[in-house]
Amino acid sequence: MTKRLVIKEAFFTWLDSLRKDYRLFGPAGREIQTAFREISSSEELTMGYASTMLSPGKLFIYKPKEELFTFRAEKEIFIDAPPVPGEKQAIVGVHPCDTNAILYLDRTFLGGYRDPYYEARRKNSFIISLNCSAASQNCFCSSVGSGPFLKAGEGCDILLTDFDDMYLVETISRRAEELFNVRGKAAGRKELNIKSEKELSVLGTIEKKVDVRGLDRLFRANMDHPVWQRTAEERCLSCSNCVMVCPTCFCYNVVDESSIDLMSGRRLRHLDACQDMRFAEVYGGNFRQQRAARLRQFVTHKMNQTGQYGVIGTVGCGRCITWCPTGIDLTEMTKEIQGT
Amino acid sequence: MNPLIPVGARITDIKTEIEEVKTYTVSVDGVFYARPGQFNMLGYPGVGEAPISFSSIGQNGSFRHTVKAVGRVTKFLEGLKKGDRLFLRGPYGKGWPLKKAEGRDVVLVAGGLGLAPMRPVIETILKERPLFGNVTLIYGARNERQILFMEELRRWGREISVRLTVDEVLYPRSWKHNSGLVTDLLDKVRVAAESAIAFVCGPEIMMRFVCRGLIMRGLVQSHLFVSMERRMKCGIGHCGHCQHYGLFVCRDGPVFPYDEVRGLPDGLL
Ligand SMILES: Cc1cc2nc3c(=O)[nH]c(=O)nc-3n(C[C@H](O)[C@H](O)[C@H](O)COP(=O)(O)OP(=O)(O)OC[C@H]3O[C@@H](n4cnc5c(N)ncnc54)[C@H](O)[C@@H]3O)c2cc1C
Ligand code: SF4
Ligand code: FES
C-alpha cells in the first residue's frame, strides 16, 4: 500500500492510458444530473459530483438486467450458458457509500451460493474510489460508518482524496500497486493530517444524523407503530423508486421469454422491488398485501434486520429520500419511532 | 458450477393423486442426494420455475414431487407426460432435523398438501423404525376427496399411529375417521411431552394453531419445527423474494425451528 500526492493531470493521463485494457466508467455530465456511464476520455468526468441517481455497483457489477441463459428446442431442449463476462472495467469516482454498497452486494451474491455473473464482473472491476469533498442534503453516511471518507482497505483498488490540484492516491490492492505507476510525492504525516482535517470538515457539513444503536429491538417492538400506516396512507405511492435507486437493494425477478415459434428463448433476471404489490404473493395469499407492510419491509430492511448479514442494510447515501416523489425519509420515520 | 442453470431430468412416472394434484417420479443422471424437507426449483425453459418439495427421495438419482396445479409452472407440469423432460435446480434449503428426532417420540402434523414434504420423513422413520420412539401422524384435509396418499396412510398406520381428519365430511357413511380441525386431535397424542419433537407442515395459519396447541400440551417450544412457504425465484438466497424479516426462507429454511420464526412481522406464526 502506497500513499502519494499526484498532480491531477498526471492521474488522468494514467487513467486514460488504462483504456488500452479496460472499459472506463465514471461520473459524467453536469447540466442536470451527474450520472455514471461509460466514458471515452477522462475529460468527460465530473469528479466533483455530489450524488448520482443510480449507484455504480448496480449499474456495472450487479446489472439491472442480466441474461441467465438461452435455450433452443430441437429434438430436445438445449440450454446454452452465456459466456462468463470477461471484459475488464475500471470504475472511477466511486464514493465511500457506494463502495460500501458493493461490499454489501458481495454478501448477497458471493456470501453463500456464488452468482457467476456478479462474481466475474466483480473480479474484472478495478475500482477507484473517491472520498467526498462535500455532502449532499440527504447524506447520512456518517451515522452508519460508511462515509464521508472510506476506511482504508475496504472494497476498492485505489482511493483518492481531493487535494486541490492534486490527488492523494492510496493504492489498496496488489493489482493497483502493479498498475499505478505514476510518480508523486510520498505522503507523510503532514499530508495525512491534512486528510484527517478534510474528513472532519466534510463531516461537519453532514446535517442528517440518525442514531442506529438498538434499532433491532426497537423496530421489533414497534411493528404496529402508527408511523407505518400513516406514512403508507398519506404519502407512499408504492412506486418502488426507493428500491430502484438503493445501492444495497439486491432483489430480482426472473422472467422467461420465448420466440414466437417457441423454438428458442432466454431466461433473464431484472431488478425487482418489495414495494410491488405482488412481490410476496403466493397461491392463496400475500404476505405483504398492505402498503404499510411493504413500506415497513423497506425501512426495516435498510435500518435493521441486521441478523441477515450482521451489518446494517443502509450505507446512508440518502438516494431513497432524494428520489421519493413525496419525500419519505427513513431516518425521520426511525426518529419518530425513537421518539426523538 | 453455475447455480442458475437447471439440469435436465426425465419424468419416469406420473400418478394422479387427487384433483389438480399429481406426483411425478423424476430421475436425473448421476447421483442426487437430498434430505427430507428440501426442495427443487422445478421448471422448464420458456415457462419458469417454482419451488417444489421432495415428496419422496429414492436412490440412484430418482425422487418424487407432488404438485398442485395452481399457476404458470405447475399448470405446465400438469400437461407433461411420462418420458417427457423437465428441468430443475437443487436440492435447496435446510430439511427436517431427523437426527434430532432420534430416540424421541415424534409428532408429525400435516395439513392439505403439507403431507407431501412430510412423506420422506415418514419413509425415513419407517426404514429406521427402532431409532425413534412413538410416532404419530396427524393429517387433516378439506374433505375425503382431498386426502393425499390414502393407500400409504393405511400402510403407515401399521407401524406408526395415524390420525386423519377432514374439515367437512362428504360421505358420512363410509368415513370412519375424525372430522374437524387437526388441532382437535392434538389431545389424543400420547407422547413424552418434555422430550418429544414435532414437525409441522401446512398453511401458515394452521401451523400457528398447531404449534400453540402442542405447547399447551407440554411440548417444548424449541422442539417444534415448521416448514414455511414464501414466493421464491432463485432458491439460493439472492433474489430476495422469500425474505422473512432478515431470514431467507429458501436458504435458512424452509424448515425452521418455531422459535426462530414465531411472531415475525408479515407472518402468521
Ligand atoms: C419451499 C416450498 C416448497 C413447496 N412445495 C410444494 C409442493 O411440494 N407441491 C406444490 O404443489 N407446491 C409447493 N410449493 C408451492 C409452489 O411453489 C407455489 O404454488 C408456486 O407458486 C407454483 O408456481 P406456479 O408458477 O405454478 O404458480 P404462479 O404462476 O407463481 O402462481 C401462484 C400464485 O402466485 C400468483 N402470481 C402469479 N403470477 C405472479 C406474479 N408475477 N407475481 C406475483 N404473484 C403472482 C398467482 O395469483 C397465484 O395465486 C412450495 C413452495 C415452497 C416455497
Ligand atoms: S428493501 Fe425490498 S427490494 Fe430492497 S433488498 Fe430489501 S426486500 Fe429487496
Ligand atoms: S428464493 Fe430467492 S432469495 Fe430465497
Side-chain angles (χ1 to χ4, degrees), chain B:
Chain B
M1 255 293 283
N2 185 335
L4 295 165
I5 298 204
V7 297
R10 185 81 55 193
I11 299 178
T12 57
D13 195 25
I14 299 180
K15 181 174 178 231
T16 301
E17 302 283 359
I18 55 176
E19 208 187 330
E20 295 184 329
V21 179
K22 288 183 180 178
T23 294
Y24 307 82
T25 307
V26 177
S27 94
V28 293
D29 290 338
V31 280
F32 192 93
Y33 179 76
R35 288 186 300 278
Q38 288 189 297
F39 65 94
N40 270 331
M41 293 300 290
L42 219 58
Y44 207 82
V47 182
E49 289 183 315
I52 304 290
S53 304
F54 293 93
S55 75
S56 183
I57 301 165
Q59 259 94 52
N60 308 325
S62 172
F63 42 84
R64 291 197 175 120
H65 287 297
T66 300
V67 184
K68 183 176 164 101
V70 300
R72 193 170 150 97
V73 174
T74 49
K75 283 186 178 153
F76 175 84
L77 293 177
E78 200 185 23
L80 293 179
K81 295 183 187 52
K82 191 173 157 175
D84 281 348
R85 285 234 286 174
L86 54 71
F87 290 80
L88 56 87
R89 298 184 292 119
Y92 292 136
K94 293 208 176 92
W96 301 101
L98 271 155
K99 267 265 162 286
K100 231 189 202 131
E102 288 178 9
R104 299 172 190 265
D105 290 349
V106 184
V107 186
L108 308 172
V109 189
L113 214 58
L115 186 59
M118 207 64 99
R119 185 164 73 172
V121 172
I122 301 165
E123 287 173 345
T124 308
I125 290 178
L126 295 185
K127 228 181 280 165
E128 319 246 14
R129 188 66 193 84
L131 287 182
F132 303 89
N134 284 333
V135 179
T136 308
L137 168 68
I138 301 177
Y139 175 45
R142 180 150 342 120
N143 56 47
E144 296 99 306
R145 275 196 294 222
Q146 296 294 317
I147 295 178
L148 274 183
F149 311 146
M150 195 60 208
E151 285 159 39
E152 276 145 302
L153 285 164
R154 282 201 196 94
R155 191 148 37 80
W156 296 338
R158 287 183 225 129
E159 290 185 72
I160 62 174
S161 151
V162 175
R163 297 182 183 275
L164 304 183
T165 183
V166 292
D167 297 351
E168 44 156 4
V169 181
L170 296 178
Y171 315 105
R173 244 176 280 168
S174 58
W175 182 245
K176 306 239 166 12
H177 303 275
N178 308 280
S179 65
L181 301 173
V182 284
T183 37
D184 299 340
L185 295 180
L186 297 180
D187 277 336
K188 304 195 177 157
V189 182
R190 301 272 158 268
V191 286
E194 342 52 74
S195 65
I197 196 166
F199 297 168
V200 188
C201 187
E204 206 155 304
I205 191 77
M206 174 214 106
M207 298 200 288
R208 171 194 182 97
F209 289 113
V210 168
C211 288
R212 283 163 197 221
L214 288 169
I215 288 167
M216 262 155 55
R217 268 148 206 86
L219 269 81
V220 183
Q221 181 158 307
S222 60
H223 293 175
L224 310 182
F225 294 84
V226 295
S227 178
M228 304 198 58
E229 182 181 346
R230 285 293 180 277
R231 193 163 186 83
M232 293 184 181
K233 284 290 171 183
C234 72
I236 56 175
H238 291 178
C239 78
H241 273 265
C242 70
Q243 283 180 98
H244 187 28
Y245 211 73
L247 298 168
F248 291 102
V249 173
C250 66
R251 187 197 71 186
D252 305 324
V255 174
F256 287 98
Y258 175 60
D259 276 3
E260 213 175 299
V261 286
R262 206 198 77 171
L264 286 186
D266 306 331
L268 303 171
L269 287 170

Side-chain angles (χ1 to χ4, degrees), chain A residues 58 104 242-244 246 248-252 272-275 279 288 294-295 297-302 305 308, chain B residues 239-241 243:
Chain A
K58 271 174 69 173
Y104 185 91
C242 49
V243 167
M244 289 299 141
C246 175
T248 60
C249 272
F250 50 78
C251 290
Y252 66 72
D272 204 355
C274 62
Q275 301 308 295
F279 186 86
R288 284 190 283 273
R294 300 199 294 278
L295 176 62
Q297 167 63 17
F298 172 73
V299 175
T300 59
H301 196 201
K302 298 300 118 181
Q305 297 191 24
Q308 189 165 58
Chain B
C239 78
H241 273 265
Q243 283 180 98

Side-chain angles (χ1 to χ4, degrees), chain A residues 8 86 90 137 157 177 181 215 230 279 297 303 320 337:
Chain A
K8 280 183 179 170
Q137 190 190 347
D157 294 280
E177 266 158 42
N181 51 9
L215 285 186
R230 199 188 63 242
F279 186 86
Q297 167 63 17
M303 299 301 288
C320 58
I337 294 175

